[in-house]
């Protein structure tokens, strides 16, 4: 196991941003973490990266408990982890040339000679579909998609074993999203990276994930192998997320209602099952007892729920699949480099 987090919590005063999250990632594996904005995904990412201090719980990296390592002793861990942030505009230093941005992690960790670092920097540019001359330019000279490619090159620079991607495509146009997702999938396969991939939309993770964890108000409510999650979503919230994947046929769109209402405040989560205020199946027990995550599901009624209309769910995910595949084919038909030019 490259990463094992047990019962992680992060409270900001009354706000329970993360409230008892356990997850693990094997070497080379991709775990997707999915849920609405505000449910605690970024906080979970920052916790497992030790960018913020947990209120409770433990984090193990490659078997070593790193939960309480002081900042001074985190450097080897930092070298072995990489992070790609959501906003490709805010996450790159505007005053650094792209080449220097990619060189920086190698310099910080003293990896190789200056000549080796420059060679590696050029190799990384190629790996993400950019050209050597891009090294001399500044971030503002690039499109959003290209900036995210630069962010990925920087995240890979020190040779991490775990990559954390926090909504890396949410800020990009849909065609560019598919290109960046393809690039990430490609890199994962080639480099054997373990990845924590965060998204608010299940459609985005379908092509990348091995397993999927669905998060609601600071908790994981369902955790399953990707195939079984898409074929047989068990939690009412997972079903609602699946229903939210856009479907072009309005007749079908009406068959499954996406979730209404807002995410309750993390400062004042509902008693019992946190989802009960928005759940069409909630009963008295849901208002009283908080269901634990057992066998990958945290729902009192998951055994009794009507089977989801799988024809519909299948059609939904198939459409999303086809849409992404179409972009994927278009992108790989050209060289990755040409695709990068196109997204300029
Ligand atoms: P997500 O990434 O899923 O959108 P976040 O992890 O950013 O969610 O936030 C989870 C909850 O924690 C939200 O209610 C958010 O307002 C709160 N939160 C996050 N960071 C802080 C902070 N530094 N101080 C106070 N509250 C925070
Ligand atoms: Mg976030």
């Amino acid at each position: 196991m490259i990463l094992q987090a047990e019962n992680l919590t992060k409270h900001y005063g009354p706000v329970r941003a993360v409230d008892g999250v356990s997850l693990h990632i094997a070497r080379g594996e991709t775990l997707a973490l999915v849920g609405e904005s505000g449910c605690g995904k970024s906080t979970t990412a920052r916790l497992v990266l030790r960018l913020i201090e947990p209120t409770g719980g433990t984090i193990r990296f490659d078997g070593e408990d790193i939960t309480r390592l002081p900042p001074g002793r985190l450097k080897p861990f930092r070298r072995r982890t990489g992070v790609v942030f959501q906003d490709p505009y805010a996450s790159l230093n505007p005053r650094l040339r792209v080449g220097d941005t990619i060189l920086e992690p190698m310099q910080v960790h003293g990896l190789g000679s200056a000549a080796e670092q420059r060679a590696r920097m050029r190799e990384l540019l190629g790996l993400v579909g950019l050209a050597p001359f891009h090294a001399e330019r500044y971030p503002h000279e690039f499109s959003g998609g290209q900036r995210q490619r630069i962010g990925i090159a920087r995240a890979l620079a020190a040779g991490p074993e775990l990559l954390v991607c926090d909504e890396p495509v949410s800020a990009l146009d849909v065609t560019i999203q598919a290109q960046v997702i393809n690039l990430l999938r490609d890199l994962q396969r080639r480099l054997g990276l373990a990845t924590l991939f965060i998204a608010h939309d299940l459609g985005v993770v379908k092509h990348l994930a091995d397993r999927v964890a669905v998060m609601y108000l600071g908790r994981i409510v369902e955790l399953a192998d990707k195939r079984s999650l898409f074929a047989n979503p068990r939690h009412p919230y997972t079903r609602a997320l699946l229903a939210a994947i856009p479907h072009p046929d309005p007749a079908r769109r009406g068959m499954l209602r996406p979730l209404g209402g807002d995410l309750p405040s993390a400062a004042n989560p509902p008693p019992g099952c946190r989802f009960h205020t928005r759940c069409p199946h909630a009963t008295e027990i849901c208002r009283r007892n908080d269901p634990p995550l057992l066998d990958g599901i945290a729902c009192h009624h998951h055994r009794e729920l009507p089977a989801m209309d799988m024809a519909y769910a299948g059609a939904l995910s198939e459409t999303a699949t086809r849409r992404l595949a179409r972009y994927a084919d278009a992108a790989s038909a050209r060289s990755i480099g040409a695709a990068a030019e196109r997204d300029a």
Side-chain angles (χ1 to χ4, degrees):
M1 252 353 118
I2 193 74
L3 180 73
Q4 271 172 296
E6 294 295 334
N7 206 19
L8 279 182
T9 57
K10 180 67 183 179
H11 297 171
Y12 294 105
V15 176
R16 295 154 174 259
V18 170
D19 211 19
V21 161
S22 300
L23 53 84
H24 61 89
I25 303 178
R27 286 188 177 276
E29 184 190 41
T30 297
L31 175 70
L33 186 61
V34 177
E36 280 163 287
S37 179
C39 72
K41 304 181 297 297
S42 293
T43 305
T44 303
R46 290 188 203 112
L47 284 171
V48 302
L49 287 165
R50 279 293 317 268
L51 296 172
I52 53 175
E53 295 302 306
T55 307
T58 57
I59 306 152
R60 287 177 175 277
F61 185 79
D62 197 14
E64 188 191 355
D65 188 340
I66 60 154
T67 321
R68 302 286 160 201
L69 275 189
R73 289 186 52 203
L74 281 171
K75 205 169 165 189
F77 168 72
R78 297 262 172 263
R79 191 194 68 70
R80 297 173 71 187
T81 54
V83 56
V84 179
F85 294 102
Q86 171 171 357
D87 185 349
Y89 292 87
S91 57
L92 298 176
N93 182 340
R95 282 178 294 275
L96 275 191
R97 288 177 206 271
V98 164
D100 293 327
T101 283
I102 299 172
L103 282 168
E104 198 174 52
M106 295 183 260
Q107 292 161 347
V108 166
H109 295 288
L111 305 174
S113 67
E116 284 164 344
Q117 289 173 358
R118 291 203 72 80
R120 168 113 180 111
M121 179 267 286
R122 283 190 291 270
E123 180 191 322
L124 284 160
L125 281 172
L127 207 58
V128 300
L130 294 170
F133 68 84
H134 285 132
E136 303 308 318
R137 299 199 177 164
Y138 289 91
H140 75 262
E141 299 175 71
F142 294 87
S143 67
Q146 286 177 318
R147 284 184 208 209
Q148 210 49 307
R149 289 172 192 271
I150 297 162
I152 293 167
R154 178 181 161 92
L156 296 177
E161 293 149 75
L162 173 70
L163 188 65
V164 175
C165 300
D166 188 359
E167 303 207 39
V169 301
S170 298
L172 307 176
D173 292 346
V174 71
T175 51
I176 310 297
Q177 281 189 10
Q179 292 173 14
V180 173
I181 287 173
N182 284 332
L183 171 66
L184 283 167
R185 191 181 51 180
D186 224 50
L187 290 172
Q188 271 175 0
R189 288 192 183 147
R190 282 160 72 176
L191 307 176
L193 279 172
T195 308
L196 177 62
F197 188 95
I198 294 174
H200 60 249
D201 171 355
L202 269 171
V204 166
V205 307
K206 184 152 172 123
H207 294 275
L208 278 165
D210 297 305
R211 287 181 300 128
V212 180
V214 177
M215 206 168 169
Y216 189 80
L217 262 188
R219 295 272 177 84
I220 292 175
V221 296
E222 182 165 4
L223 204 165
D225 179 72
K226 176 183 68 183
R227 265 176 222 288
S228 51
L229 189 106
F230 276 85
N232 179 28
R234 296 194 288 167
H235 199 285
Y237 182 60
T238 309
R239 295 176 175 200
L241 285 181
L242 269 174
I245 298 176
H247 195 285
D249 178 353
R252 281 182 170 274
R253 218 181 289 149
M255 289 171 65
L256 236 185
R257 267 175 307 134
L259 202 57
D262 294 325
L263 189 69
S265 160
N268 191 14
C273 172
R274 289 173 185 208
F275 186 58
H276 86 257
T277 56
R278 297 166 86 191
C279 182
H281 309 287
T283 60
E284 193 47 41
I285 189 176
C286 309
R287 289 181 268 278
R288 270 201 325 266
N289 294 358
D290 193 0
L293 185 72
L294 284 177
D295 185 27
I297 178 89
C299 172
H300 292 298
H301 295 302
H302 73 94
R303 283 189 202 82
E304 311 132 43
L305 292 185
M308 191 175 175
D309 181 344
M310 282 307 140
Y312 177 68
L316 274 175
S317 40
E318 216 182 278
T319 311
T321 306
R322 270 204 309 272
R323 188 158 42 94
L324 276 170
R326 214 167 44 238
Y327 294 129
D329 291 345
S332 55
R334 301 162 178 85
S335 73
I336 297 180
E341 286 307 321
R342 196 172 41 136
D343 91 43

